[in-house]
Amino acid sequence: MWRSRQPPLVTGISPNEGIPWTKVTIRGENLGTGPTDLIGLTICGHNCLLTAEWMSPSKIVCRVGQAKNDKGDIIVTTKSGGRGTSTVSFKLLKPDKIGILDQSAVWVDEMNYYDMRTDRNKGIPPLSLRPANPLGIEIEKSKFPQKDLEMLFHGMSADFTSENFSAAWYLIENHSGTSFEQLKMAVSNLKRQANKKSEGSLACVKGGLSTFFEAQDALSAIHQKLEADGTEKVEGSMTQKLENVLNRASNTADTLFQEVLGRKDKADSTRNALNVLQRFKFLFNLPLNIERNIQKGDYDVVINDYEKAKSLFGKTEVQVFKKYYAEVETRIEALQELLLDKLLETPSTLHDQKRYIRYLSDLHAPGDPAWQCIGAQHKWILQLMHSCKEGYVKDLKGNPGLHSPLLDLESETRPSVLGHLGQTASLKRGSSFQSSREDAWRYKIPHRVAFVEKLTKLVLSQLPNFWKLWISYVNGSLFSETAEKSGQIERSKNVRQRQSDFKKMIQEVMHSLVKLVRGALLPLSMREAEAWQFGGWEAKAELSGQWLTHAIQTLRLTYESLTALEIPNDLLQTMQDLTLDLRVRCVTVTLQHTAEEIKRLAEKEDWVVDNEGLTSLPCQFEQCVAHSLQSLKGVLECKPGEASVFQQPKTQEDVCQLSISIMQVFIYCLEQLSTKPDADMDTTHLSVDVSSPDLFGSIHEDFSLTPEQRLLIVLSNCCYLERRTFLNIAEYFEKHDFQGIEKITQVSMASLKELDQRLFENYIELKADPIVGSLEPGIYAGYFDWKDCLPPTGRGTRNPR
């Protein structure tokens, strides 16, 4: 197949090693023309397409998944260039516990721990949780294999922050060569650290006890001096006199400078107000800025400004700040409603859905917008499927003719399986299909088959994004790029219930797909209520085996595409059941149509006899059956996960009876030809060159066959059928795994021999009629009556003279 672009070539990856879920940047050439052109990305054999973000034809960003191979290539597959190659490789590292002094090629995220006191998650640096050397002695790494340690301490861990911490494993791994004296020193260090933690603030008080005593003595001396001064003086204490002087000075100053101070206070108030406006203009201008940014679509700017305002004024007690912050909250609520409406709006792309969900997540929108989006997409897919059916049914009622798929099938969807019809040239039987009619057959398609084609394309265009949306919802990447919020969000949801609900959604989509296809192609296999809901085609003509084969191939390609999404097989089992029913129906219809064609073979008998005394009729019969079985080759073939067409005993019996009926129909045609009147025979095409001039000499004279000649030709054909044709057909049946071949052969042979015997007796009777006709008048000339003659008894004796 010719491609418009060169295959993708990966020339670099950064970083070139890392643990699972490491974010990497892939660089190369011809990496696709856009996000939709990228159809495959594997790193170390793992499919990374779900996390891939196409940036440019030379750059792709994704996350490495859980791969089985330790080291492997980076393979990029595009629609325009096909499967690519790689000049670099990626090394998958095992996630080890990394200390603060250990070197690492990737960034180590801060750990999350659960605080029982505050009942919330806190991000703490690894320095406070994981000291590099808790024992305080030199670490000597052991050479014991990690796998042996894991087997020896099954279910345990050498990480001292883990709940399953094993001290023996830690000592073997880090201090296998440490002396006993060093270990005793490590015990002393641990005891010292424990004592420090238990003493707490009491140790601080003990260390500064003398300072506390000195401060207490100084305060007591000041108090005693003030009391002594108060008892010796009548005017009062020293502090009281000082207070009186200060009050008089203050009153005098207020009297002198009251007006000046008033103007100063007013100016200070104005200046302070201007300073507040200048200092907090961010908050005062924020409501208007939010409206402007919303109109421009700069939602990221709005979210950043809101987070800043929330951190600064979220808990303020200043009334003016409260008032403006309330205005901000009002506009943020309106933005949440706007984003939710855009999120639930259909149709929309997966990129836009993820973007709106992350906006709502950052705005802490109430409820679960991501799950609401999944529910809306589910309803939208079901609505599209039923609308597709209604449109085709309406078109069928308005224009019952054949449907042209070129008028309404999107060109950007996956390649149409109509292209596979070109491979079914072997379906032609005799001269019934001419090359001049092939194009018309390819471009004219029944409404029901066109509907199945359009319906499967619709599902394959919507379901992958729907499935990716769910995967992103589960792993947390839907809420942020690094999935840092996924842990908090998942704890607030009933994940099991969500999984059960989504499984029901997928089941409902697959149920609708199967029922709609079944209503179009197999309406008799549905209950009356289901036929009314999913059917309504009112098609009088039944689809031929060729179109059923095309529909089966469409469903098979759809199943393969859905399997590639890693959808569980139990959710796709209904499609396999539908495909099996269609295969059985296709076999039945094809055999029935074959029997009808064989009935018309009698009209093609030209009575031209070859050297063996045969006409072309047995060969035409064999070719007709062979072409019919060849057309069923793809239908009878079992694809991965499919069951055999003949697995049900009833199907075996029905197919066996249809096969027998095909043989008996041809036998009946031979019987009809043997008794066909001369007036009903078309003799204009009879050949003068007959190989047996003694038997068929009359043909040279008047181009007509006598009854004896017809019987001889049919008897010759019967003999050939018994010797060759029926045995060849039995081999065709066996080649295509038909069941009950012995029964088919026995019944057919018995019917053929019975016909041969009847035709032979008819031939003898025709030949004996002239002789009997000449003898019979003489027998009854003397009024001889057999009744008057005694029957002979005993052995006859010679009468002597």
Side-chain angles (χ1 to χ4, degrees):
M1 178 178 174
W2 180 85
R3 299 185 182 274
S4 60
R5 295 176 62 89
Q6 295 294 326
L9 176 63
V10 177
T11 58
I13 183 171
S14 177
N16 59 3
E17 63 179 12
I19 63 175
W21 305 114
T22 299
K23 190 172 184 179
V24 298
T25 301
I26 301 171
R27 298 188 182 274
E29 301 173 359
N30 302 320
L31 301 184
T33 59
T36 58
D37 191 39
L38 182 64
I39 59 175
L41 175 59
T42 60
I43 299 179
C44 297
H46 184 271
N47 186 4
C48 304
L49 185 59
L50 288 180
T51 61
E53 291 187 26
W54 185 91
M55 311 301 291
S56 68
S58 61
K59 180 180 178 182
I60 297 175
V61 178
C62 71
R63 288 185 179 272
V64 182
Q66 294 281 358
K68 297 181 180 179
N69 302 327
D70 295 336
K71 189 174 183 180
D73 295 333
I74 302 93
I75 304 299
V76 177
T77 305
T78 62
K79 293 181 181 177
S80 59
R83 181 180 175 88
T85 57
S86 174
T87 60
V88 296
S89 61
F90 183 86
K91 184 177 181 182
L92 190 68
L93 303 177
K94 185 175 181 180
D96 295 329
K97 302 298 182 180
I98 301 174
I100 59 175
L101 299 179
D102 296 334
Q103 296 182 354
S104 173
V106 296
W107 176 257
V108 181
D109 291 335
E110 294 183 348
M111 299 176 58
N112 286 332
Y113 77 100
Y114 190 72
D115 192 346
M116 295 295 294
R117 297 171 298 173
T118 58
D119 192 24
R120 62 184 179 182
N121 286 330
K122 291 183 177 181
I124 61 175
L127 289 173
S128 60
L129 258 185
R130 301 182 56 186
N133 189 3
L135 297 182
I137 59 178
E138 184 179 358
I139 294 178
E140 298 178 2
K141 291 288 184 179
S142 66
K143 298 182 180 179
F144 289 97
Q146 189 71 17
K147 294 183 179 178
D148 295 344
L149 292 175
E150 292 177 357
M151 294 178 59
L152 183 62
F153 301 97
H154 181 69
M156 306 302 290
S157 173
D159 182 8
F160 47 81
T161 62
S162 174
E163 295 181 358
N164 301 325
F165 170 67
S166 173
W169 187 351
Y170 178 80
L171 292 175
I172 293 174
E173 187 176 42
N174 298 284
H175 301 285
S176 58
T178 305
S179 64
F180 184 69
E181 295 298 330
Q182 291 289 329
L183 292 178
K184 289 198 297 182
M185 187 183 300
V187 173
S188 301
N189 293 336
L190 290 176
K191 289 182 179 180
R192 192 179 304 111
Q193 294 176 13
N195 292 333
K196 286 182 179 180
K197 291 182 179 180
S198 62
E199 289 179 359
S201 59
L202 183 60
C204 179
V205 176
K206 289 182 178 179
L209 190 60
S210 59
T211 305
F212 284 99
F213 288 155
E214 292 175 359
Q216 177 66 26
D217 293 340
L219 292 175
S220 298
I222 293 173
H223 180 68
Q224 291 176 0
K225 188 172 182 180
L226 290 175
E227 286 185 347
D229 182 72
T231 56
E232 295 174 357
K233 303 295 181 179
V234 180
E235 293 86 359
S237 65
M238 179 178 63
T239 56
Q240 185 65 39
K241 291 191 294 183
L242 181 60
E243 181 182 2
N244 294 334
V245 172
L246 291 176
N247 287 335
R248 288 196 299 269
S250 176
N251 294 333
T252 303
D254 290 341
T255 303
L256 294 175
F257 301 101
Q258 184 174 6
E259 184 178 356
V260 176
L261 293 177
R263 289 195 299 269
K264 181 180 179 299
D265 291 341
K266 186 176 181 180
D268 291 341
S269 299
T270 304
R271 190 180 300 107
N272 291 335
L274 292 175
N275 290 335
V276 169
L277 290 175
Q278 183 65 24
R279 181 179 178 183
F280 300 103
K281 65 177 181 179
F282 164 75
L283 177 62
F284 300 140
N285 296 331
L286 186 56
L288 182 59
N289 291 335
I290 288 177
E291 291 183 357
R292 292 176 178 175
N293 291 325
I294 289 177
Q295 292 177 357
K296 292 188 295 184
D298 294 337
Y299 303 122
D300 292 317
V301 177
V302 175
I303 294 173
N304 292 335
D305 291 344
Y306 173 66
E307 290 293 335
K308 181 179 178 181
K310 186 177 181 181
S311 63
L312 294 176
F313 307 102
K315 298 180 180 180
T316 184
E317 296 297 332
V318 181
Q319 293 299 323
V320 64
F321 292 165
K322 282 186 175 181
K323 179 180 178 180
Y324 276 89
Y325 185 74
E327 291 290 333
V328 172
E329 290 285 359
T330 302
R331 283 160 175 76
I332 292 298
E333 291 176 359
L335 176 60
Q336 291 176 355
E337 295 178 359
L338 175 63
L339 292 176
L340 185 60
D341 292 340
K342 288 182 175 293
L343 176 63
L344 302 181
E345 181 181 346
T346 53
S348 61
T349 63
L350 180 63
H351 175 73
D352 290 339
Q353 291 172 354
K354 288 184 176 181
R355 190 160 57 93
Y356 293 139
I357 289 172
R358 288 168 184 167
Y359 289 154
L360 290 170
S361 175
D362 292 337
L363 292 174
H364 308 288
D368 192 352
W371 183 250
Q372 294 178 12
C373 178
I374 292 176
Q377 286 298 309
H378 170 246
K379 295 179 180 178
W380 169 248
I381 294 175
L382 294 178
Q383 181 182 351
L384 284 179
M385 295 169 65
H386 286 279
S387 298
C388 179
K389 189 264 293 187
E390 295 298 333
Y392 272 84
V393 171
K394 184 178 179 181
D395 186 34
L396 176 62
K397 293 179 179 179
N399 182 18
L402 294 178
H403 178 71
S404 174
L406 301 180
L407 297 179
D408 60 347
L409 296 182
E410 295 86 346
S411 59
E412 64 271 17
T413 55
R414 63 178 177 84
S416 172
V417 294
L418 283 174
H420 295 277
L421 292 178
Q423 303 174 1
T424 59
S426 59
L427 298 177
K428 301 177 184 178
R429 299 188 177 95
S431 60
S432 59
F433 288 96
Q434 302 294 334
S435 60
S436 61
R437 298 178 56 191
E438 182 177 356
D439 292 339
W441 181 64
R442 285 167 59 90
Y443 288 100
K444 289 185 178 180
I445 178 172
H447 281 74
R448 289 180 288 169
V449 179
F451 161 70
V452 173
E453 177 82 7
K454 181 65 175 294
L455 181 65
T456 54
K457 285 185 178 181
L458 188 150
V459 172
L460 291 181
S461 65
Q462 298 293 331
L463 198 58
N465 288 338
F466 183 60
W467 182 260
K468 291 178 182 178
L469 186 65
W470 163 251
I471 295 298
S472 301
Y473 177 82
V474 171
N475 60 28
S477 63
L478 189 64
F479 304 96
S480 63
E481 290 291 341
T482 58
E484 292 175 352
K485 300 181 182 179
S486 60
Q488 300 177 6
I489 294 173
E490 288 299 332
R491 291 186 182 92
S492 63
K493 298 181 178 66
N494 189 344
V495 179
R496 259 185 212 175
Q497 183 62 32
R498 290 285 189 258
Q499 291 177 345
S500 176
D501 293 342
F502 183 78
K503 184 177 181 180
K504 292 179 181 178
M505 290 181 181
I506 294 293
Q507 287 177 339
E508 187 175 0
V509 171
M510 301 311 302
H511 171 80
S512 299
L513 173 63
V514 170
K515 290 297 182 181
L516 288 172
V517 174
R518 191 178 290 274
L521 303 180
L522 299 173
L524 298 180
S525 64
M526 303 175 67
R527 295 191 297 269
E528 183 177 356
E530 291 181 341
W532 179 84
Q533 181 181 0
F534 297 97
W537 291 91
E538 299 179 2
K540 298 180 180 179
E542 188 175 10
L543 292 175
S544 64
Q546 300 167 358
W547 289 119
L548 288 176
T549 302
H550 168 61
I552 291 170
Q553 192 168 1
T554 301
L555 288 178
R556 281 175 168 174
L557 292 176
T558 304
Y559 178 81
E560 292 176 3
S561 301
L562 295 178
T563 305
L565 294 176
E566 300 182 357
I567 297 179
N569 291 331
D570 57 334
L571 299 179
L572 303 177
Q573 184 59 40
T574 54
M575 283 197 66
Q576 292 286 48
D577 298 338
L578 172 62
T579 304
L580 178 61
D581 293 344
L582 279 175
R583 292 166 63 201
V584 172
R585 184 58 185 168
C586 182
V587 172
T588 303
V589 170
T590 302
L591 294 179
Q592 290 174 350
H593 288 183
T594 303
E596 294 295 329
E597 290 184 9
I598 291 174
K599 283 182 181 180
R600 294 190 291 270
L601 285 180
E603 303 173 0
K604 301 179 181 180
E605 177 60 274
D606 53 8
W607 300 103
V608 177
V609 181
D610 59 9
N611 295 330
E612 298 181 3
L614 304 172
T615 63
S616 63
L617 199 62
C619 291
Q620 293 182 18
F621 168 63
E622 182 177 346
Q623 291 177 1
C624 183
V625 175
H627 289 166
S628 175
L629 295 180
Q630 183 65 24
S631 69
L632 294 175
K633 181 179 179 181
V635 176
L636 296 174
E637 181 183 0
C638 294
K639 298 293 183 180
E642 291 183 352
S644 173
V645 174
F646 305 108
Q647 69 172 358
Q648 296 295 334
K650 184 178 183 304
T651 304
Q652 297 178 13
E653 182 65 24
D654 293 342
V655 173
C656 182
Q657 292 298 330
L658 287 173
S659 303
I660 293 174
S661 68
I662 289 175
M663 314 291 273
Q664 291 179 340
V665 163
F666 185 69
I667 294 173
Y668 177 75
C669 289
L670 293 177
E671 183 176 7
Q672 293 297 109
L673 288 172
S674 65
T675 59
K676 190 174 184 182
D678 291 341
D680 298 338
M681 231 176 16
D682 183 10
T683 60
T684 58
H685 58 278
L686 291 179
S687 173
V688 181
D689 184 13
V690 181
S691 62
S692 301
D694 295 334
L695 290 175
F696 309 109
S698 59
I699 298 180
H700 297 278
E701 300 174 1
D702 53 2
F703 292 92
S704 63
L705 292 175
T706 63
E708 294 88 349
Q709 291 173 336
R710 286 201 305 271
L711 286 173
L712 282 177
I713 294 175
V714 174
L715 283 171
S716 178
N717 288 338
C718 289
C719 182
Y720 183 79
L721 288 174
E722 183 178 357
R723 287 186 294 107
R724 296 285 300 276
T725 305
F726 278 11
L727 296 180
N728 292 341
I729 292 177
E731 291 180 0
Y732 294 146
F733 284 142
E734 184 176 1
K735 179 181 177 182
H736 292 83
D737 298 329
F738 272 57
Q739 305 295 320
I741 300 177
E742 294 182 0
K743 180 180 178 181
I744 297 173
T745 306
Q746 291 175 359
V747 175
S748 302
M749 287 293 187
S751 300
L752 182 62
K753 291 179 179 180
E754 182 180 350
L755 174 63
D756 183 81
Q757 182 65 28
R758 289 199 307 271
L759 296 180
F760 183 74
E761 291 176 356
N762 292 340
Y763 179 76
I764 296 299
E765 183 178 353
L766 288 174
K767 285 296 184 181
D769 278 348
I771 301 174
V772 173
S774 60
L775 294 178
E776 190 173 8
I779 293 176
Y780 294 101
Y783 300 99
F784 178 79
D785 191 355
W786 288 102
K787 295 180 181 180
D788 299 336
C789 181
L790 295 175
T793 59
R795 178 174 297 179
T797 58
R798 192 172 184 179
N799 186 16
R801 288 185 178 179

